[in-house]
Amino acid sequence: MARYNPKETEPKWRKAWADADVFKAGPPTPGVPKYYALEMFPYPSGRLHMGHVRNYSLGDVVARYKRARGFNVLHPMGWDAFGLPAENAAMERGVDPRGWTYDNIAKMRAELKELGLSIDWSREFATCDAAYYGKQQDWFLDLWKRGLVYRKESIVNWDPVDQTVLANEQVVDGRGWRSGAVVEKRKLNQWFLRITDYAEELIEGLKTLDRWPDKVRLMQENWIGRSKGLKFNFGWASEAPKGFEAGLEVYTTRPDTLYGASFVGIAPDHPLAEQLAADPKVAAFIAECRKGGASEAEIETAEKIGFDTGLTVAHPFDPNWRLPVWIANFILMDYGTGAIFACPAHDQRDLDFARKYDLPVKAVVLPPGEDAATFTVGDEAYTGPGTIFHSDFLDGLEIEPAKAAAIARIEAQNQGKGATVFRLRDWGVARQRGWGCPIPVVHCAKCGVVPLPKDQLPVVLPDDMDFSKPGNALARHPTWKNASCPQCGAEATRETDTLDTFVDSSWYFARFTDTEAAEPINKAAADYWLPVDQYVGGIEHAVLHLLYARFVTRALGDEGMLSVREPFAGLFTQGMVTHETYRRAQSGEWVEPKEVEILAEDGKRQARSLETGEALVIGDIEKMSKSKRNTVAPEEIFEVYGVDAARLFVLSDSPPERDTQWSAAGVDGAWRFVNRVWNEFDSQPAGAAPAPSPDPKADELRAFTHRTIKAVTEAVETFRFNSGIARMYEFLNKLKEFPADKATAPVLAARQEALSAFARLISPFTPHLAEEAWARIGGDGMVVSAPWPAYDATLTQDAVKVLPVQVNGKRRGEISVAAGLEPADVEKIVLDDPEIARRLEGLAIKKVIVVKDRIVNIVAG
RNA sequence: GCCGCCGUAGCUCAGUGGUAGAGCGCAUCCUUGGUAAGGCUGAGGUCGGCAGUUCAAUCCUGCCCGGCGGCACCA
């Protein structure tokens, strides 16, 4: 018997796969069923972490399984390679970001290859390859022509640490998602993609994504934030301000409460407010509003402040009713029209404001059970259901009919229209960074912003940028920006902003379908391969990347480059890899797991430092991170246990969507499993008959084999990999009941069948071990190309069922009956059973419930 | 505050309207030429709490408790 030696075995099989080029996707062939398995491509940080191991192992199980199922599988890999870490490395260490990035890619590629992933490496690319980002510039110009790209002077989220603009999606709790710095508001000329044009379709499309987690769909739905209401104009009661003669347009979702109107409010950066800022008092107030940060705490505690402009408007349903116009800090310019009518009785924000400035509070929704004569609103606005009152023609209506009636009246008066409004804002895509995809336009003094003709693409980054100081290295390059205007030929300046890296990742899956295409996307290839059948990645991209990719897919589709509307038919979001934390008792200093020894004393787990022997405090289980020093380096695990054990453990311990806890004991267990599996294969004598023959013992094993095939197949299909692995642990334990050295010929044959299935079942999880095992039992070719085992349904069912018998819901015995026996027959057997009869002595039988093949319950009293 | 998810053995988790399960860990014993191991056996659970529906609830419903996530001055 030879011990299983992954150090020899694993590289051997990886080489065999590479030599046979087994993972190369077949050509797009209509009629040949395809499967596109994709994991979110990594940022090339230079080092693989356990999160990567989990992510790519999960995707690999799917890819290998589908290959065994006979699909033409596309399973590519690439690099999301632009971005700030390269610039930071350049600034800190004086290295070139390009060289640093490609070095990292080389290191990570080697580590990923070691994982034994079934990747088609011939399609690899990095987003920082000019061959890729040049194509991105190409379609960017197409979208420009389509009117989906625009520039606008606007207030943007400015990250003072990274010195760049951030999209709304990249601001988390008022802080930059990467830097963690409190985001400032700045007014800049910005580049936008018109994602809001697709808001309705993006929200509707979610309904079709039945293989996405509900959670992610819900998060996107909330983010897009559709609300239905009314946009209408208030006519002026005072003299109309210049430019606003048509009135003041507001948006509301509560037109039913119009008779509860108290005042009209506009945002501090509303054009009207800016016009009124000619008055220094108004200007001072607006400046006051701009103070205060965007952080959660600041917004939460910010007091509502307002300024009465002295202007008044007329109520739409009563021309004699005048409402004052206030500037209020709680009104957002970029939602709706930046102006509202306030109904303090039924909106908490309006109420807070009205109480502060002593404005009227008039209730118009009567809660059920309240008396119209006595109902009043105190400091809490009433937002619940009820009946409209004090509201003329709306009186007596419920809220929804009242909304409809109010909208109809406003529309009849030609003062406005029912309107759907979205929370989603257009996507600000320009970043003031040097290490990104250049925006392919020039600025000409005469012609303005001019897109470059496509024959001038790609606009390539210079390779001698100065990253020694913060800020935009591209902008301060001495010569790069010099160009000539394609329209008038005069001297012009290149745009020095680059695109958000989320643009890079919003279409890479389409490029993977043909990485050599002259066009950005080879439509025939994309039509064959897309949508991605299974996409696997982290939940942190639920809104950002996944929303942008859905948008870009639609935009490119409308440009005729793609046929699918949804890029990812199936999405799986995996949980994080966590680990216990350890720290020194006195200093509180974090200690790495590899420097810790775990002991059991008095049945309790104790941690001790391997270096000093001191007792350590075992802390919480947290996401692996450098700051908590609770990381485990994958390469060190591979070195000790082999890749398969690491893959197996990371797949076995928890359902894939949940966090999984890495532990030394756990990977140890996986390693022992690998060895026990090998021993079982190794003990099988060569030349065992492949065809099992009837024999009670052999039949028992065969039944178990086929039940396991069924269970594992279903587990893999439904992403319950941990359950599938648990079934294989059981399978192995069952096999041990039939040791080869004591087996009869029929049992040996059944073992051969079991092992043949086993090797194929474990192949997606522990591919190297599976190859070695497959070879050991004389399997045909490599297991990677072997078909998935089929099960015989007749063997997965028992011939005899043991049914528990309950009396009044309590278990009182059991009977054995033929499987599938009809309830009436079962009832007869049960009632004839002497043991059951004894239990029923002195009781009158009221009812007998028989659930076929499951249970019998006798109700008696 | 609003929306959502989770709570089953020491740990990580399956599971089902009908006999409570797996892996790891733990304990006992065996093996000591598979030995930086292997094997046998076993203990351990008011299925978060309370109520309801049902012949029967860990499972369905409601409320509560605990943990986690998303959104948040979005009119």
Side-chain angles (χ1 to χ4, degrees), chain A residues 209-221:
Chain A
L209 298 174
D210 54 345
R211 291 201 297 117
W212 277 42
D214 291 344
K215 182 183 178 166
V216 174
R217 289 193 293 183
L218 193 69
M219 282 166 72
Q220 291 215 355
E221 199 178 321

Side-chain angles (χ1 to χ4, degrees), chain A residues 718-757:
Chain A
T718 54
F719 251 88
R720 285 153 38 236
F721 299 157
N722 59 321
S723 302
I725 292 169
R727 298 305 292 252
M728 290 188 281
Y729 270 91
E730 291 175 44
F731 192 24
L732 181 67
N733 287 342
K734 191 72 182 179
L735 266 166
K736 284 173 179 300
E737 294 175 22
F738 302 85
D741 56 356
K742 292 179 191 137
T744 59
V747 169
L748 266 185
R751 270 183 61 92
Q752 185 73 16
E753 183 193 31
L755 291 171
S756 166

Side-chain angles (χ1 to χ4, degrees), chain A residues 659-845:
Chain A
D659 289 355
T660 191
Q661 190 187 335
W662 184 274
S663 66
V667 70
D668 230 42
W671 160 246
R672 278 204 296 275
F673 177 75
V674 165
N675 280 285
R676 289 201 306 252
V677 168
W678 172 248
N679 290 340
E680 212 50 46
F681 278 89
D682 202 29
S683 70
Q684 180 77 350
S693 52
D695 169 88
K697 286 285 282 178
D699 288 350
E700 187 191 340
L701 179 55
R702 294 200 68 206
F704 204 91
T705 299
H706 286 260
R707 259 182 249 154
T708 302
I709 295 171
K710 181 168 190 272
V712 173
T713 303
E714 286 167 3
V716 172
E717 290 277 357
T718 54
F719 251 88
R720 285 153 38 236
F721 299 157
N722 59 321
S723 302
I725 292 169
R727 298 305 292 252
M728 290 188 281
Y729 270 91
E730 291 175 44
F731 192 24
L732 181 67
N733 287 342
K734 191 72 182 179
L735 266 166
K736 284 173 179 300
E737 294 175 22
F738 302 85
D741 56 356
K742 292 179 191 137
T744 59
V747 169
L748 266 185
R751 270 183 61 92
Q752 185 73 16
E753 183 193 31
L755 291 171
S756 166
F758 204 144
R760 287 175 285 164
L761 292 178
I762 57 167
S763 159
F765 302 89
T766 56
H768 312 85
L769 170 66
E771 290 293 359
E772 191 72 11
W774 184 251
R776 176 68 184 72
I777 58 163
D780 207 16
M782 285 195 283
V783 74
V784 70
S785 303
W788 191 250
Y791 63 86
D792 179 344
T794 60
L795 284 176
T796 62
Q797 285 153 8
D798 289 317
V800 173
K801 295 272 181 189
V802 177
L803 309 187
V805 179
Q806 299 180 334
V807 176
N808 293 332
K810 284 185 182 149
R811 190 168 183 274
R812 292 294 183 232
E814 58 183 37
I815 55 161
S816 294
V817 299
L821 193 66
E822 290 306 316
D825 301 321
V826 174
E827 184 173 334
K828 215 175 285 170
I829 295 168
V830 169
L831 296 180
D832 287 347
D833 189 279
E835 175 65 14
I836 304 295
R838 201 178 58 76
R839 293 284 192 176
L840 291 168
E841 255 170 47
L843 297 174
I845 296 170

